[in-house]
């Protein structure tokens, strides 16, 4: 029987997925704090459910981008190899690291990604190539391995790290970098979510509404991404990410020093 308690997650998920797939970010960075702080879902379950939600959304978006022939397939296999190795490392960390320290990692990773993306957007720095140059994956293997690790233990990493790397270091056009980052995230998320499902970490009642919403939103975001101003989206997304990261860091400080709570 369907639990309609979380019906309002559906429209929110559509909007988040539209923005995420249009900009090359993973919606999990918004879903996990929403589930954790808004719905009081335990941190482990909120991260796992956020990843499961973005798994469906990123898969939907990647399929649309593939149909539009926007993916750069030249080094996909190599990039995925390093990302998957990072995922296995991240799953180990996720299984053993206490929840407060997970909040610290999430906060630091999101803060770093947000400030980096904000700087790039304000400088109007975008790529111009249609394919990565030879040896790109081999040169930056450690970055993509780290991205996989962060995604597995925090729900944030592959898309957020891949998009600027593909666009700034690989010089891909904004849309091709977005599309390829979405595809890489989708592949990593399936592996992560299979483990989380086996471990019973995913809240299926929440996923029913969030997953349905992101499937629809991702299609819209990928289809109409070319109509949206890349700079504006990156700035708005970066500001939102900064807010999320600062809140996570605040909760970690409160954990260490309870007297500092506002």
């Amino acid at each position: 029987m369907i639990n309609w308690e979380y019906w309002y997650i559906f429209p929110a998920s559509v909007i988040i997925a539209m923005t995420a797939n249009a900009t090359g970010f993973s919606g999990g960075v918004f879903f996990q704090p929403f589930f954790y702080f808004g719905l009081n879902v335990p941190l482990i379950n909120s991260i796992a459910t956020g990843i499961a939600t973005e798994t469906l959304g990123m898969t939907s978006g990647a399929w649309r981008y593939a149909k539009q022939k926007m993916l750069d397939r030249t080094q996909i296999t190599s990039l995925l190899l390093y990302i998957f190795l990072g995922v296995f490392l991240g799953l180990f960390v996720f299984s053993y690291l206490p929840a407060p320290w997970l909040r610290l990692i999430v906060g630091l990773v999101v803060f770093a990604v947000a400030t980096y993306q904000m700087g790039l957007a304000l400088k109007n720095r975008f790529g111009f190539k249609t394919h990565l140059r030879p040896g790109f994956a081999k040169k930056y293997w450690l970055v993509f391995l780290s991205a996989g690790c962060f995604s597995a233990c925090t729900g944030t990493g592959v898309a957020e790290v891949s998009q600027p790397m593909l666009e700034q270091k690989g010089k891909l056009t904004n849309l091709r970098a977005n599309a390829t980052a979405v595809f890489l995230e989708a592949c990593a998320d399936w592996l992560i979510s299979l483990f989380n499902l086996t471990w019973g970490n995913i809240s299926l009642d929440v996923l029913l509404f969030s997953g349905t919403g992101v499937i629809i939103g991702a299609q819209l975001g990928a289809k109409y991404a070319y109509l949206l101003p890349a700079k504006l989206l990156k700035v708005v997304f970066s500001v939102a990410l900064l807010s999320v990261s600062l809140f996570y860091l605040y909760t970690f400080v409160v954990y260490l020093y309870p007297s500092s709570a506002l």
Side-chain angles (χ1 to χ4, degrees), residues 26 33-34 42 44 49 66 75 84 88 101 145 169 188 199 206 214 233 236 258:
S26 61
F34 175 43
I44 298 297
T49 307
Q75 299 182 55
F84 284 161
F88 284 115
W101 291 93
L145 184 145
K169 300 300 183 181
W199 294 336
V206 174
V214 296
L233 283 173
V236 172

Side-chain angles (χ1 to χ4, degrees), residues 3-193:
N3 180 2
W4 292 97
E5 177 184 358
Y6 300 116
W7 68 268
Y8 56 88
I9 298 176
F10 173 79
S13 299
V14 173
I15 296 172
I16 292 174
M18 284 177 60
T19 307
N21 278 269
T23 57
F25 287 90
S26 61
V29 71
F30 286 135
F31 285 116
Q32 53 174 286
F34 175 43
F35 297 157
Y36 180 57
F37 297 113
L39 305 182
N40 294 318
V41 176
L43 183 63
I44 298 297
N45 303 97
S46 66
I47 291 176
T49 307
I51 295 173
T53 298
E54 73 178 21
T55 299
L56 299 175
M58 288 296 178
T59 301
S60 177
W63 178 78
R64 170 63 67 175
Y65 276 125
K67 285 191 65 177
Q68 296 172 185
K69 301 186 184 303
M70 292 302 299
L71 301 180
D72 177 17
R73 305 172 185 269
T74 54
Q75 299 182 55
I76 286 288
T77 302
S78 297
L79 291 172
L80 283 177
L81 172 62
Y82 300 128
I83 288 172
F84 284 161
L85 289 175
V87 165
F88 284 115
L89 176 61
L91 287 170
F92 175 80
V93 174
F94 181 70
S95 300
Y96 292 98
L97 196 66
W101 291 93
L102 276 176
R103 287 198 292 269
L104 174 63
I105 292 177
V106 172
L108 292 175
V109 171
V110 173
F111 182 83
V113 170
T115 52
Y116 182 59
Q117 282 285 10
M118 176 71 80
L120 294 178
L122 295 177
K123 292 178 181 178
N124 286 312
R125 290 176 56 183
F126 301 100
F128 54 88
K129 294 184 177 180
T130 57
H131 298 292
L132 295 170
R133 63 180 182 274
F136 173 83
K138 185 176 181 180
K139 182 176 182 179
Y140 296 105
W141 68 272
L142 184 58
V143 175
F144 287 92
L145 184 145
S146 300
C149 179
F150 287 135
S151 263
C153 64
T154 70
T156 304
V158 171
E160 289 79 8
V161 172
S162 297
Q163 197 282 338
M165 285 297 296
L166 295 169
E167 185 178 47
Q168 303 301 316
K169 300 300 183 181
K171 304 301 181 184
L172 289 182
T173 63
N174 180 258
L175 279 179
R176 290 185 74 81
N178 291 352
T180 307
V182 167
F183 177 82
L184 293 173
E185 180 73 72
C187 293
D189 285 345
W190 275 108
L191 179 60
I192 298 168
S193 293

